[in-house]
Amino acid sequence: MLAPELFTYDEAGIASFKPDQNTGSLPLDDYAKIDFKLAYTRCPTGAIKRSDKPFPQK
């Protein structure tokens, strides 16, 4: 857990982005970008996705 202010885990170990309830709709401020990049580059499963635009809602 490299960025606990950004990510949380459920009981199954699935991570989600806390600031926007995992919708991909909230931009990161400069400080959060530093923590996000650390978690993104060190994620052992490659499960963290990033985009310059909000993710499509299902």
Side-chain angles (χ1 to χ4, degrees):
M1 187 96 158
L2 295 170
E5 69 286 347
L6 297 179
F7 297 98
T8 188
Y9 293 87
D10 67 13
E11 58 280 347
I14 305 297
S16 62
F17 187 66
K18 288 168 51 172
D20 67 3
Q21 291 74 45
N22 214 41
T23 63
S25 62
L26 183 68
L28 297 172
D29 65 32
D30 290 338
Y31 293 106
K33 285 179 185 177
I34 293 167
D35 290 337
F36 177 85
K37 185 176 179 181
L38 179 66
Y40 177 78
T41 58
R42 293 188 181 177
C43 179
T45 63
I48 299 173
K49 304 298 180 204
R50 66 181 184 91
S51 176
D52 292 334
K53 298 179 184 175
F55 297 121
Q57 299 303 307
K58 294 178 182 181

